[in-house]
Amino acid sequence: MAIALRLSRGGAKKRPYYRIVASDSRSPRDGKYLEQVGTYNPVLPKDSEDRVKLIEDRVRYWLGVGAQPTDRVARFLDAAGILERKAKNNPKKAEPGEKAKERAEEKAEKAREAEEAAKAAAEAPAEEPAAEEAPAEEAAAEEEKAAE
């Protein structure tokens, strides 16, 4: 029988409270367990002493008979100085996903196109606005003559 040291959830909706238990790894999360070896109350502030409580001698016993802690329980045991947790290395942790990369590429491409359009507009001769103003001036002159 494989034994796990893990969290068993209790408490009300949106108000979690966990028992740290030694249980058969095949049993349900909140199901039957062999022994309760501590508690964890995530609602309390991080610096509170009552946030994580462990019965050290029982935890050491279960570790001695081969119980495997889950990642979260291993963190608690490491903080309590009972078990040293191996540091995990995930070099891709901060790297964005594929879709985020695609969106960033599309945004950069649109920015380049807008920049090229602005550059082309700046290099174009300034005769076009003058051509548009000329008919407007003629129309204004014709209106003045008609008014006289």
Side-chain angles (χ1 to χ4, degrees), residues 5 58-69 77 82-83:
L5 291 177
R58 294 310 296 167
V59 170
R60 290 184 193 280
Y61 166 77
W62 285 111
L63 291 172
V65 295
Q68 294 297 313
L77 299 179
I82 297 172
L83 179 72

Short mmCIF file of all heavy atoms in Angstrom, two decimals, residues 5 58-69 77 82-83:
data_model
loop_
_atom_site.label_atom_id
_atom_site.label_comp_id
_atom_site.label_asym_id
_atom_site.label_seq_id
_atom_site.Cartn_x
_atom_site.Cartn_y
_atom_site.Cartn_z
N LEU A 5 1.33 11.67 2.12
CA LEU A 5 1.02 12.77 3.03
C LEU A 5 0.45 13.87 2.16
O LEU A 5 1.14 14.40 1.29
CB LEU A 5 2.28 13.26 3.75
CG LEU A 5 2.90 12.32 4.76
CD1 LEU A 5 4.18 12.91 5.32
CD2 LEU A 5 1.93 12.02 5.87
N ARG A 58 4.83 12.37 14.40
CA ARG A 58 4.02 11.50 13.54
C ARG A 58 4.39 11.69 12.06
O ARG A 58 4.40 10.75 11.29
CB ARG A 58 2.52 11.79 13.74
CG ARG A 58 2.02 11.43 15.12
CD ARG A 58 2.41 10.02 15.55
NE ARG A 58 1.79 9.00 14.70
CZ ARG A 58 2.14 7.72 14.68
NH1 ARG A 58 3.10 7.28 15.46
NH2 ARG A 58 1.52 6.89 13.89
N VAL A 59 4.71 12.93 11.67
CA VAL A 59 5.14 13.17 10.29
C VAL A 59 6.44 12.41 10.03
O VAL A 59 6.59 11.73 9.00
CB VAL A 59 5.33 14.68 10.03
CG1 VAL A 59 6.00 14.92 8.69
CG2 VAL A 59 4.00 15.41 10.09
N ARG A 60 7.38 12.49 10.97
CA ARG A 60 8.66 11.78 10.82
C ARG A 60 8.43 10.27 10.76
O ARG A 60 9.09 9.57 9.99
CB ARG A 60 9.61 12.13 11.96
CG ARG A 60 10.12 13.55 11.89
CD ARG A 60 11.14 13.83 12.99
NE ARG A 60 11.41 15.24 13.12
CZ ARG A 60 12.23 15.93 12.34
NH1 ARG A 60 12.84 15.33 11.35
NH2 ARG A 60 12.41 17.22 12.55
N TYR A 61 7.48 9.75 11.56
CA TYR A 61 7.16 8.33 11.51
C TYR A 61 6.69 7.92 10.12
O TYR A 61 7.18 6.96 9.54
CB TYR A 61 6.09 7.97 12.56
CG TYR A 61 5.51 6.60 12.32
CD1 TYR A 61 6.22 5.46 12.69
CD2 TYR A 61 4.29 6.45 11.68
CE1 TYR A 61 5.69 4.19 12.44
CE2 TYR A 61 3.76 5.19 11.43
CZ TYR A 61 4.47 4.06 11.81
OH TYR A 61 3.97 2.81 11.55
N TRP A 62 5.72 8.68 9.57
CA TRP A 62 5.16 8.32 8.27
C TRP A 62 6.20 8.45 7.16
O TRP A 62 6.23 7.64 6.24
CB TRP A 62 3.92 9.14 7.96
CG TRP A 62 2.73 8.67 8.73
CD1 TRP A 62 2.10 9.32 9.74
CD2 TRP A 62 2.05 7.42 8.59
NE1 TRP A 62 1.07 8.56 10.24
CE2 TRP A 62 1.02 7.38 9.53
CE3 TRP A 62 2.22 6.32 7.75
CZ2 TRP A 62 0.15 6.30 9.67
CZ3 TRP A 62 1.35 5.24 7.88
CH2 TRP A 62 0.34 5.24 8.83
N LEU A 63 7.06 9.45 7.26
CA LEU A 63 8.14 9.56 6.27
C LEU A 63 9.11 8.39 6.40
O LEU A 63 9.63 7.87 5.41
CB LEU A 63 8.89 10.88 6.44
CG LEU A 63 8.12 12.14 6.06
CD1 LEU A 63 8.92 13.38 6.46
CD2 LEU A 63 7.79 12.16 4.58
N GLY A 64 9.31 7.94 7.65
CA GLY A 64 10.20 6.80 7.91
C GLY A 64 9.68 5.49 7.34
O GLY A 64 10.47 4.61 6.97
N VAL A 65 8.37 5.33 7.27
CA VAL A 65 7.81 4.08 6.72
C VAL A 65 7.52 4.21 5.22
O VAL A 65 6.91 3.32 4.64
CB VAL A 65 6.52 3.63 7.47
CG1 VAL A 65 6.86 3.27 8.90
CG2 VAL A 65 5.44 4.68 7.39
N GLY A 66 7.97 5.31 4.60
CA GLY A 66 7.90 5.41 3.14
C GLY A 66 6.79 6.27 2.57
O GLY A 66 6.53 6.22 1.37
N ALA A 67 6.14 7.07 3.38
CA ALA A 67 5.08 7.94 2.86
C ALA A 67 5.69 9.03 1.97
O ALA A 67 6.74 9.57 2.29
CB ALA A 67 4.30 8.58 4.00
N GLN A 68 5.02 9.32 0.87
CA GLN A 68 5.48 10.34 -0.06
C GLN A 68 4.62 11.59 0.07
O GLN A 68 3.42 11.54 -0.14
CB GLN A 68 5.39 9.82 -1.50
CG GLN A 68 6.31 8.67 -1.80
CD GLN A 68 7.76 9.08 -1.66
OE1 GLN A 68 8.18 10.11 -2.17
NE2 GLN A 68 8.53 8.27 -0.96
N PRO A 69 5.22 12.74 0.41
CA PRO A 69 4.42 13.97 0.52
C PRO A 69 4.12 14.55 -0.86
O PRO A 69 4.91 14.42 -1.79
CB PRO A 69 5.32 14.92 1.31
CG PRO A 69 6.70 14.44 1.05
CD PRO A 69 6.60 12.95 0.83
N LEU A 77 6.69 20.95 4.99
CA LEU A 77 7.70 20.20 5.74
C LEU A 77 9.06 20.87 5.62
O LEU A 77 9.84 20.88 6.58
CB LEU A 77 7.75 18.75 5.25
CG LEU A 77 6.46 17.94 5.41
CD1 LEU A 77 6.66 16.53 4.86
CD2 LEU A 77 6.01 17.90 6.85
N ILE A 82 11.58 19.74 8.59
CA ILE A 82 11.45 18.29 8.75
C ILE A 82 12.04 17.54 7.55
O ILE A 82 12.71 16.53 7.70
CB ILE A 82 9.96 17.90 8.95
CG1 ILE A 82 9.43 18.54 10.22
CG2 ILE A 82 9.78 16.40 8.97
CD1 ILE A 82 7.95 18.38 10.41
N LEU A 83 11.79 18.05 6.37
CA LEU A 83 12.22 17.39 5.14
C LEU A 83 12.76 18.45 4.20
O LEU A 83 12.13 19.50 4.01
CB LEU A 83 11.02 16.68 4.48
CG LEU A 83 11.26 15.97 3.17
CD1 LEU A 83 12.07 14.70 3.42
CD2 LEU A 83 9.94 15.61 2.51
#
